[in-house]
Amino acid sequence: MELDEMAKTLVATLHLETNPVGVKLIKKEEDIPEDIELITEPLRYCEMVQAARYRGETTLAKVDMHSCKGGASGLGLMEFPENIASGNLYFSKLNKVVTKEAGSKIVSSFPAQEAGSIVATLVAPLDKMTVKPDVVIFVGKPFQARRVVQAALCQEGGRVNFDTAGIQSFCVDATSSPILKGDVNVSMGCDGAAKNAGLEDDFVVVGIPFDMAEKITPILAERGEGWDNWMRS
């Protein structure tokens, strides 16, 4: 399935109000697209995804243009800075935990890409991607996430286990985690994405490994309308 067709199908079957987004984590300098300009003003990764989602923008960025170093670290562009790795950020500044050790345990549990394994990130609306993405992300209502989970289990059954901490939602939960575990992940979002990138309070962030997106999109096209009609009958 072509990427533009996949995007149209996801929008139509899930009733998405904004663009599904494709993300490519680029591992080698020679694989950085020459026809796309690197950004020159730093952005947070969650802002990059939101820019693609809302405004159709494409963002190509190396580590120095990732203004959120926690996000850059979760994506494998760099090591976690000491204030994050130690848990001190979540303890002393954000007041999310009662000890630094608890914060450090959260960070050490992140399903993050290996530090230094990624040289650049490419984020774009799925229908504008010029390379095969690693993950497809959409932001939407729990109902829309439910349809993706149902489609993911349609052929072989089982259960989907969500991996989240309410921290680093776009970068770790919706990008790194789906890539590493090869399964859909649903994130409740994070305060940073809400504060800095406008993530809606009542929406979730869904990351789907691209290979899985290729499998579930036809299922959604075939069965989604029937599921909706039965639910509302």
Side-chain angles (χ1 to χ4, degrees):
M1 181 178 291
E2 297 296 326
L3 296 180
D4 59 346
E5 182 183 356
M6 178 183 288
K8 290 178 183 178
T9 301
L10 290 173
V11 169
T13 60
L14 297 175
H15 315 290
L16 297 178
E17 298 175 2
T18 54
N19 295 316
V21 176
V23 176
K24 180 71 175 180
L25 301 184
I26 301 170
K27 297 182 178 181
K28 299 178 181 179
E29 288 281 345
E30 57 265 32
D31 291 335
I32 296 176
E34 296 181 356
D35 59 338
I36 303 175
E37 292 186 4
L38 290 158
I39 62 171
T40 57
E41 295 292 333
L43 289 171
R44 298 172 179 86
Y45 177 72
C46 53
E47 292 177 309
M48 299 176 193
V49 178
Q50 290 284 71
R53 174 194 170 203
Y54 274 118
R55 300 189 297 276
E57 296 178 8
T58 294
T59 305
L60 179 63
K62 292 186 176 183
V63 63
D64 58 329
M65 288 296 109
H66 278 259
S67 60
C68 173
K69 299 310 179 187
S73 303
L75 296 168
L77 290 157
M78 59 180 287
E79 296 273 2
F80 280 101
E82 174 60 24
N83 71 318
I84 296 177
S86 67
N88 190 55
L89 175 68
Y90 304 117
F91 170 63
S92 65
K93 180 179 180 179
L94 301 180
N95 198 30
K96 289 292 192 294
V97 290
V98 297
T99 65
K100 288 196 302 182
E101 289 74 20
S104 180
K105 188 175 181 180
I106 290 175
V107 177
S108 64
S109 299
F110 281 155
Q113 301 292 311
E114 181 181 355
S117 64
I118 304 302
V119 299
T121 56
L122 175 62
V123 181
L126 183 61
D127 61 358
K128 292 184 179 179
M129 288 289 288
T130 57
V131 298
K132 175 182 174 181
D134 295 310
V135 65
V136 175
I137 297 173
F138 74 84
V139 179
K141 301 172 184 177
F143 155 71
Q144 295 162 327
R146 183 167 78 239
R147 284 289 179 260
V148 167
V149 169
Q150 291 166 339
L153 301 179
C154 184
Q155 293 181 328
E156 298 182 9
R159 290 183 69 82
V160 173
N161 297 308
F162 301 151
D163 181 9
T164 185
I167 295 171
Q168 297 197 209
S169 57
F170 281 87
C171 50
V172 171
D173 289 358
T175 304
S176 184
S177 178
I179 292 171
L180 290 174
K181 73 176 185 177
D183 201 356
V184 60
N185 200 40
V186 178
S187 173
M188 297 173 290
C190 65
D191 293 354
K195 176 181 174 64
N196 298 308
L199 175 63
E200 299 92 330
D201 291 347
D202 54 350
F203 277 20
V204 295
V205 186
V206 181
I208 314 167
F210 181 72
D211 291 346
M212 175 173 281
E214 286 190 305
K215 294 177 182 179
I216 69 173
T217 302
I219 294 172
L220 288 168
E222 177 185 350
R223 298 172 181 261
E225 184 177 1
W227 291 343
D228 290 352
N229 291 340
W230 181 88
M231 180 182 70
R232 298 187 175 111
S233 63

